[in-house]
Amino acid sequence: QKVSVEVLDHLEHLALVDFRDAEGVERLQKAIQFADQLHEVNTDGVEPMDSVLEDRWCLYLREDDVTEGNCTKELLENAREKVEEYFVAPPGNIPLPKLEERETFLQGS
Amino acid sequence: AALKDRLRSQVSAALKEGRVTPTELCQRCLALIKSTKFLNAYITVAEETALKQAEESEERYKRGQPLGILDGIPIAVKDNFNTAGIETTCASNMLKGYISPYNATVVQKLLDQGAVLLGKTNLDEFAMGSGSTDGVFGPVRNPWSYSKQYKEKSVPKSHSEDEESNWVITGGSSGGSAAAVSSFTCFAALGSDTGGSTRNPAAHCGVVGLKPTYGLISRHGLIPLVNSMDVPGILTRCVDDAAVLLGSLAGHDPKDSTTIQDDFKPFELPNLTDVSKLSIGIPKEYHVPGLSSEILAIWSKAAELFKNAGAKVVEVSLPHTRYSIVCYHVLCTAEVASNMARFDGLEYGHRSDMKDSTESMYAATRREGFNDVVRGRILSGNYFLLKQNYENYFVKAQKVRRLIANDFVKVFRSGVDILLTPTTLSDAAPYMEFIQEDNRTRSAQDDILTQAANMAGLPAINVPTALSERGLPVGLQFIGRSFQEKQLLTVAKWFEKQVQFPVIQLEEVKRHDSGVFQHQKSASFS
């Protein structure tokens, strides 16, 4: 059962990472095949486990007090593009080009 | 005579008594790092800051006010821990040039106790891998490749073949840290462990590798892979040292809400002499196909050792063991897909020159910054998290996870104190052989014995046990009950004493040998 080009394209959009070549696609196929072994296990009546510490209730909410901050300068130091105290991004709300118009290995498929 | 070799030279005592100064110690380690550069264990050597820390330590010793047992002790840290002012790369192009603005909690704790941070060690890119071969700075070489013990056993295939093509891997992903400890360039190192990344290289490099219980040590500042399984790992040359490091690192951290709130009391390990009250479990499912006959023999011998010493040794069953690696594969890729989403080029790390749109900039940045392994896991993870797959893969894996964790609970409830298993399938593979298979296949094979402990959040430790026929280290793994590190380490220490694992005989170390390193090949600072 091969993954369709539509799903592969969808994954590239979601992950914002590309299948560089046939090997990349093959890698996913193998990963799915490997994961399918899970279906051999009977999990009727079993609750999913989020954390091994579920019995200890350690995830807590703390008081809404400001305990640290004022580190704008340090935080901006690692950004490449900035203006005053802003991180600068290219224009947003422009979706990635469609499969036919994009530079992707999947185009040939 | 064998015992004398293992006697740790109290480096801490030596420092306290002024027989060696912190700066001398630091300088010797830095020199040794330089002469073992071919191992490629370090990505960044923080020479200036290390010497400064050593000087400050020296001042404290002069005043008779050392901060504690770790004051002046050189340590190394895996390059996926944030270290203020020092580059943190995760061996990836995505973070090349990234200077952390803060210290990970575990790093801060070590510095607060006066430890000297020598540098950041090499790893597989973003800690994904079991060989320490897939980082952008190249593979790490196992120091044992250059040991007398290995060279004596290797038969050169031709006149032209030399060490260059024969060297073996360290295992991974904390290979740099393991190599650093193994080659004496530091006294302890931090690694991380998500599926075995501390225990696997510890086994291949002949050092102690401790994976603490999930929730015991803070993950704040450890660049996350799988939030529900990651733990900082401890690599040392003996079990006592691991206990000392654990004592200085464990405990609740308000900055990591997944650390338990209970008070942690550091402990000294007792010298166990009577094991008759101990019950050791041997999980039969760990006798996996692919386990080398050599390791099987060593494992059996260890079980016999316990039995002959009076311990109760029983075969136990962890029925879902064979699904552990599949479960891990799904949960790991899913959490990775989420955790890697933060790398978009805006706030830190690599940024592509692409300017057309935010999304295309993100896509180009990630295309340029991540290697195949990372990208592959992100894509797989996203697949398992798709609406149509979520129940069948992600939630299913979470259910299987509970079954795996319950297997352990049942066994420990039946009266077993500690489990004894192999750590790896075989001794370290030659690099040329290892790279014949891709990263995912290798990880699936190599993580098989270690990663169930991460599934269940249990503490586990690799103890170097014996040399293989090729003259390379083989270790065995002990798995303990949640938060029962004292019991786990006590048993590990007893076992360490029984097996008398040989000291590595390295030319480079002999050349630097002096009073400082005398009697100290299996050195510790406790």
Side-chain angles (χ1 to χ4, degrees), chain B residues 25 33 61 65 103 130 192 202 252 407 444 459 462:
Chain B
L25 200 54
I33 291 174
Y61 274 105
Q65 293 170 335
N103 281 321
S130 59
S192 66
H252 178 65
D407 278 356
N462 171 78

Side-chain angles (χ1 to χ4, degrees), chain B residues 260-279:
Chain B
I260 56 160
Q261 311 238 22
D262 305 11
D263 270 328
F264 174 80
K265 289 184 190 57
F267 48 78
E268 246 183 61
L269 294 176
N271 272 313
L272 189 64
T273 43
D274 174 22
V275 295
S276 59
K277 293 191 189 63
L278 209 57
S279 173

Side-chain angles (χ1 to χ4, degrees), chain B residues 305-344:
Chain B
L305 187 74
F306 277 100
K307 208 188 284 179
N308 292 337
K312 184 168 168 221
V313 178
V314 287
E315 189 188 73
V316 295
S317 176
L318 297 166
H320 295 92
T321 298
R322 57 179 280 249
Y323 294 106
S324 182
I325 195 76
V326 185
C327 186
Y328 174 67
H329 163 73
V330 173
L331 294 179
C332 174
T333 50
E335 294 207 37
V336 159
S338 170
N339 279 320
M340 296 294 130
R342 73 192 67 200
F343 297 106
D344 55 21

